[in-house]
Amino acid sequence: MKLATLKNATRDGRLVVVSRDHAWALDASSVAPTLQYAIEHWSDCEPRLQALSRQLNDGAAPDAFAFDPAQAMAPLPRAYQWCDGSAFLSHGALMQKAFNLDPIDGAESTPLMYQGAGDDFIGPRDEIALPSESQGIDFEGEFVVLVDDVPLGCDAQTALQHIKLVLQINDVSLRALAPREMRTGFGFLQAKPSSSFAPLAITPDELGEAWYDGRVHLPLQVHWNGEWFGHPHGGQMNFDFGQLIAHAALTRRLGAGTLIGSGTVSNAERSAGSACIAERRAIEMIEHGSPRTGFMRFGDRVHMDVLGSDGQSLFGAIDQCVVQARG
């Protein structure tokens, strides 16, 4: 099942079911007005949404209409909680080597995670409006899971059962602002503006054989200004999503609608490229002594997509332009 949220002049949008080929959509308000409502009442809403999905994919939905990703908001336009991990250790290892940083104690056994802003997510075709190019504008391609209510102290294996939907995200980062915030020990704030999402939230079964061990075993295709930038594979997560959820739930309950991110998809193999500019710059620093790639400029465009074994896009594409924020 594939779900999207369409713009309707409200903050939370209108929930729709989308066909597997992304051509058609069907209003889901008879089941749930928003995705937040659906995830809070998943045991009741999920079978009814699945029924709408089957009807749509069977061509038996007379009220179906053409799906336009340009009208899509983030599938969950605002979340009560957004926690982003760093589950690909190859990314952290590159950063440590490039900047001569001391290893983080316990990083190989305990996931790194910060709590980001979940109140203003961006849609897949919306402009990324930011104050200044001097802030080091970067994209970061990640996978994300959406969970129902997770109890305090939930173990990693049980946590996998709480994953209801899988999403793909561009976790926009401002690299010039990050170092100071990291040194304070308080975590990111200004360095992490609003993140943007691919249009579709999908149930794990839509991934088929690519979903196992709590990971998305597919490459994330990233292009910058029409040029290939990377296709790192999601299966190389050092911590699976069950472990990330359990980490977040160690001392608190996670409310239905919590989003948990994988962190930048990263592979040790250099031929896979990267899912963020900072990683390419780190490689250049290691190989050449200084970075050769600049960060994004106003007018630049980033494109992200994940293709299944049949070549069909699974989450729909993120395709966005960076612009200067207007006062």
Side-chain angles (χ1 to χ4, degrees), residues 148-187:
D148 62 4
D149 288 307
V150 178
L152 183 150
C154 183
D155 65 85
Q157 192 61 40
T158 304
L160 291 173
Q161 301 172 21
H162 290 281
I163 296 173
K164 303 307 175 188
L165 294 166
V166 186
L167 306 89
Q168 195 268 307
I169 185 175
N170 171 20
D171 183 41
V172 182
S173 296
L174 301 177
R175 300 299 186 181
L177 303 181
R180 179 190 176 277
E181 293 190 331
M182 287 189 287
R183 286 194 300 270
T184 67
F186 273 75

Side-chain angles (χ1 to χ4, degrees), residues 16-269:
V16 298
V17 176
V18 179
S19 60
R20 287 197 175 92
D21 63 2
H22 305 178
W24 301 97
L26 186 62
D27 186 88
S29 59
S30 62
V31 177
T34 65
L35 184 55
Q36 181 62 40
Y37 181 95
I39 200 70
E40 289 178 355
H41 304 86
W42 193 250
S43 60
D44 174 63
C45 291
E46 189 268 342
R48 298 166 64 195
L49 290 170
Q50 289 282 11
L52 290 179
S53 177
R54 288 191 295 271
Q55 184 183 17
L56 180 62
N57 285 301
D58 290 343
D63 296 327
F65 56 91
F67 175 66
D68 180 4
Q71 294 303 310
M73 305 172 75
L76 188 66
R78 50 179 178 168
Y80 288 114
Q81 187 160 223
W82 157 230
C83 298
D84 197 14
S86 183
F88 294 86
L89 295 184
S90 59
H91 177 73
L94 276 173
M95 296 299 168
Q96 288 174 14
K97 185 173 182 179
F99 293 98
N100 296 313
L101 302 174
D102 293 330
I104 298 174
D105 186 40
E108 293 185 357
S109 57
T110 303
L112 300 177
M113 186 173 287
Y114 77 92
Q115 187 157 358
D119 60 320
D120 185 33
F121 291 134
I122 304 173
R125 301 291 191 273
D126 295 340
E127 293 177 336
I128 302 172
L130 294 167
S132 171
E133 293 176 343
S134 67
Q135 293 171 341
I137 303 168
D138 200 355
F139 49 80
E140 285 195 67
E142 306 184 17
F143 293 107
V144 179
V145 294
L146 181 65
V147 300
D148 62 4
D149 288 307
V150 178
L152 183 150
C154 183
D155 65 85
Q157 192 61 40
T158 304
L160 291 173
Q161 301 172 21
H162 290 281
I163 296 173
K164 303 307 175 188
L165 294 166
V166 186
L167 306 89
Q168 195 268 307
I169 185 175
N170 171 20
D171 183 41
V172 182
S173 296
L174 301 177
R175 300 299 186 181
L177 303 181
R180 179 190 176 277
E181 293 190 331
M182 287 189 287
R183 286 194 300 270
T184 67
F186 273 75
F188 297 120
L189 181 68
Q190 295 174 338
K192 291 292 187 178
S194 298
S195 298
S196 54
F197 282 74
L200 304 176
I202 68 177
T203 48
D205 62 285
E206 291 289 341
L207 293 164
E209 295 181 354
W211 175 256
Y212 62 93
D213 294 335
R215 297 170 172 86
V216 178
H217 289 263
L218 289 169
L220 173 58
Q221 308 286 345
V222 181
H223 289 79
W224 180 14
N225 291 332
E227 299 290 332
W228 175 87
F229 196 83
H231 58 253
H233 200 277
Q236 295 192 26
M237 283 175 74
N238 296 86
F239 300 100
D240 67 44
F241 275 113
Q243 292 171 295
L244 294 179
I245 296 166
H247 177 76
L250 180 66
T251 60
R252 55 177 158 171
R253 295 173 294 175
L254 306 182
T258 293
L259 291 160
I260 303 289
S262 67
T264 307
V265 181
S266 175
N267 296 170
E269 299 84 359

